[in-house]
Amino acid sequence: MIASVPKTSRMLRLSPEDNVLVAIDTVEKGTTAAEGIVALDRIGKGHKMAAADIRSGEAVRKFGQIIGFARQDVARGSWVHEHNTGVHDFARDYAFAEDARPEDILPLDRQASFQGIRRANGKVGTRNYIGVLTSVNCSATVAGFIAEEVKRSGMLDAYPNIDGIVALKMDNGCVIDYRGAIFDILKRTAWGYATNPNMGGVLMVGLGCEGFQIPRFKEAYGVTESEIFRTMTIQETGGTRKTVAAGVAAIREMLPHVNAVRRETCHASDLIVALQCGGSDGYSGITANPALGAAVDILVRHGGTGILSETPEIYGAEHLLTRRAANRAVGEKLVDIIKWWEDYTRRNNMEMNNNPSPGNKLGGLTTILEKSLGAAAKGGTTTLRDVYRYAEPVTAKGFVFMDTPGYDPVAATGQVAGGANLLCFTTGRGSAYGCKPVPSIKLATNTDIYTRMIDDMDINCGDILDGVTIEEKGRQIFELMLKVASGQRTKSEELGYGDNEYVPWHVGAMM
């Protein structure tokens, strides 16, 4: 991976082993591009041009790795994309723990700090929200009514230490087996949100007759009602109007207790950062993702935690992570998850390469292997310390992985349930996203999208193509992490995003 690119460069060779070049700017047909190659086709920004003749069936290489195989003979100078490149199975050497190295973690007195909210259990929040959780879709409307009435009444104005209230509505929870996968995931997700350090108080609202029973949920986690945790059901309370009134009253009683916090100096080791990418393009694996990876390396050195996820989007690059696994057991946990996904997609008449999305392809990404190699760069270069199932509590320090789908709201929901108190989100096409109660920092992969969507983007990583180094951009991202963790609002927070992005993963039979 190159550290910087001269402004005069028209195309990038990312590794000596590559047989494609990546266009920084559009290269018109007939133009003599980098390395004296004449473009036989128009090559769009972020797209690839063959740097050599590639025979049918031969591997196409980018980042020094296989991103696909030629479907036909591809002449030097041709546009390389899905019309002439595809994917099939090939052997990958997992080399478990071969590249694992101990990290040089800074002592506490040398770690970076931020102004966080320390909870009674020792966890540290970066925000202080009240959440209205639902146990079933049937209570989603009432939960929304409660949150809207609290906002409309202005009662939050008297409590400056509360960042807001959010209704976390789910679209499931009814006809499910309490012994099954759906119940287990919903249970972990709901409890993870209820105990996320950015949540100061929680009201859980159910209908009463659903499969995801609140009493069973409370029993599973040994939960009791308190000044900052309340539950109720619409049926027991007496219907919609009475439940809304009771919910608003419960939150009114909760407010002084939720407000009774103050920010104090905390160490960067208290940060658990969710790593996301969406609306990726051909620049994602060149600019924003490796820059975020550089920031994660800094975070890990300061004792913090970075959570990579989106299993379908590390597919084909998992061998790079297993090499960094702390030990063989950690690496095999990741491989077992990959095998589960292969079986899962096969049973549902799908294939792993149905990702990238149409927008990804327009941005220059051709195969899931190419997308995965770029997406995995968000995890930096340190040792993979552990692998978690969806919404499991993340307890390890350092770089970890969580199994989630590639769909951003579902993936981030699992990470937040796992304990993330901050989120960084890279995008090349321009994803519109927020994540209450966790602030989301948006990183643009290219200057065009940063300029066009300036109200949504927090950092421009496109200037890496103009000479800013990956390391310098990583430091900039890390510094912004600390500022946002201390209370500085992100662009998505200023816009009000985050009320509709709570999307638990549905796995298993819905009866």
Side-chain angles (χ1 to χ4, degrees):
M1 185 64 65
I2 59 173
S4 62
V5 180
K7 291 183 178 180
T8 55
S9 295
R10 299 295 303 275
M11 307 200 84
L12 301 176
R13 176 182 286 276
L14 300 175
S15 167
E17 300 174 14
D18 291 353
N19 53 11
V20 296
L21 303 176
V22 181
I24 298 175
D25 302 307
T26 299
V27 179
E28 298 298 338
K29 182 178 179 178
T31 301
T32 300
E35 303 183 11
I37 302 172
V38 176
L40 302 182
D41 304 296
R42 184 179 184 272
I43 316 295
K45 292 181 179 180
H47 285 250
K48 298 172 293 297
M49 181 179 73
D53 292 336
I54 306 172
R55 295 187 303 273
S56 179
E58 186 177 344
V60 178
R61 293 181 179 272
K62 178 183 174 184
F63 305 112
Q65 300 287 330
I66 294 173
I67 65 166
F69 298 87
R71 298 180 187 271
Q72 61 195 49
D73 289 344
V74 180
R76 184 174 186 254
S78 297
W79 178 35
V80 176
H81 204 33
E82 57 182 329
H83 63 289
N84 56 19
T85 303
V87 172
H88 60 69
D89 289 337
F90 65 99
R92 294 185 283 279
D93 180 8
Y94 289 133
F96 295 109
E98 186 176 277
D99 295 334
R101 300 288 184 272
E103 280 87 33
D104 181 20
I105 306 300
L106 293 171
L108 277 179
D109 61 354
R110 292 181 56 199
Q111 288 179 12
S113 63
F114 68 99
Q115 296 300 302
I117 301 167
R118 191 168 296 281
R119 303 297 183 183
N121 61 5
K123 294 181 180 180
V124 173
T126 64
R127 295 294 183 269
N128 190 35
Y129 270 91
I130 293 174
V132 185
L133 276 168
T134 53
S135 64
V136 65
N137 178 256
C138 306
S139 61
T141 297
V142 165
F145 286 163
I146 292 170
E148 289 166 12
E149 177 58 24
V150 169
K151 293 175 185 176
R152 187 199 62 78
S153 70
M155 67 176 72
L156 292 176
D157 295 344
Y159 300 96
N161 294 332
I162 298 177
D163 288 296
I165 184 170
V166 57
L168 299 165
K169 309 171 186 178
M170 70 163 69
D171 61 359
N172 200 347
C174 187
V175 189
I176 57 175
D177 191 330
Y178 72 90
R179 297 161 297 187
I182 295 179
F183 184 87
D184 286 343
I185 288 175
L186 289 182
K187 182 178 65 177
R188 288 201 304 268
T189 305
W191 182 240
Y193 265 71
T195 58
N196 185 283
N198 288 8
M199 204 72 84
V202 171
L203 169 66
M204 192 168 191
V205 181
L207 177 62
C209 57
E210 62 269 19
F212 186 55
Q213 285 283 304
I214 291 178
R216 187 173 284 134
F217 165 81
K218 291 164 68 176
E219 180 182 358
Y221 290 104
V223 182
T224 56
E225 305 272 324
S226 70
E227 295 169 333
I228 56 174
F229 183 81
R230 298 282 301 277
T231 66
M232 61 182 64
T233 66
I234 297 168
Q235 291 169 350
E236 290 181 356
T237 308
T240 297
R241 293 184 187 279
K242 291 177 182 177
T243 306
V244 172
V248 172
I251 288 172
R252 182 179 289 109
E253 294 174 2
M254 198 182 287
L255 290 176
H257 306 286
V258 177
N259 190 66
V261 297
R262 62 180 179 84
R263 289 188 179 268
E264 60 183 77
T265 300
C266 301
H267 295 102
S269 53
D270 292 313
L271 289 178
I272 303 176
V273 181
L275 313 174
Q276 283 291 317
C277 60
S280 301
D281 67 354
Y283 296 134
S284 294
I286 300 171
T287 61
N289 287 353
L292 179 54
V296 171
D297 285 350
I298 298 172
L299 175 68
V300 169
R301 187 160 184 259
H302 285 259
T305 303
I307 311 173
L308 185 66
S309 70
E310 301 178 294
T311 310
E313 297 184 8
I314 60 102
Y315 183 74
E318 72 274 12
H319 62 292
L320 303 180
L321 298 179
T322 57
R323 289 171 177 269
R324 294 162 51 192
N327 51 56
R328 186 180 185 91
V330 169
E332 288 183 339
K333 284 169 73 174
L334 182 60
V335 174
D336 286 345
I337 287 171
I338 292 291
K339 291 178 179 177
W340 181 92
W341 272 94
E342 290 176 331
D343 178 65
Y344 178 62
T345 52
R346 189 181 305 115
R347 284 186 283 111
N348 287 278
N349 298 317
M350 300 167 64
E351 63 176 37
M352 294 296 280
N353 198 44
N354 70 356
N355 187 345
S357 70
N360 297 153
K361 292 176 181 179
L362 284 171
L365 295 175
T366 301
T367 68
I368 186 56
L369 305 181
E370 181 182 9
K371 184 176 183 180
S372 294
L373 289 164
K378 299 193 303 292
T381 62
T382 62
T383 297
L384 176 65
R385 290 295 167 189
D386 210 344
V387 174
Y388 295 90
R389 296 290 177 177
Y390 187 86
E392 283 185 336
V394 172
T395 56
K397 292 289 188 180
F399 170 56
V400 303
F401 184 84
M402 176 179 285
D403 178 32
T404 76
Y407 183 42
D408 308 316
V410 181
T413 294
Q415 292 171 312
V416 172
N421 53 14
L422 197 64
L423 187 148
C424 287
F425 191 118
T426 69
T427 182
R429 302 293 293 173
S431 291
Y433 182 80
C435 191
K436 293 176 182 176
V438 174
S440 173
I441 299 171
K442 301 292 284 299
L443 313 174
T445 73
N446 63 83
T447 301
D448 287 346
I449 202 66
Y450 177 78
T451 303
R452 191 180 317 130
M453 297 183 65
I454 189 68
D455 293 331
D456 294 80
M457 301 297 150
D458 296 286
I459 288 184
N460 177 26
C461 296
D463 54 10
I464 290 171
L465 299 173
D466 298 322
V468 175
T469 66
I470 295 291
E471 293 73 20
E472 183 180 348
K473 187 59 63 172
R475 287 191 293 272
Q476 182 184 347
I477 295 169
F478 179 69
E479 289 168 3
L480 184 58
M481 285 182 187
L482 298 175
K483 291 176 182 177
V484 170
S486 298
Q488 178 175 309
R489 287 162 63 84
T490 67
K491 296 288 186 67
S492 64
E493 288 182 292
E494 290 174 353
L495 289 167
Y497 274 98
D499 291 294
N500 302 300
E501 285 79 2
Y502 174 70
V503 190
W505 188 15
H506 297 168
V507 179
M510 187 179 297
M511 307 296 288

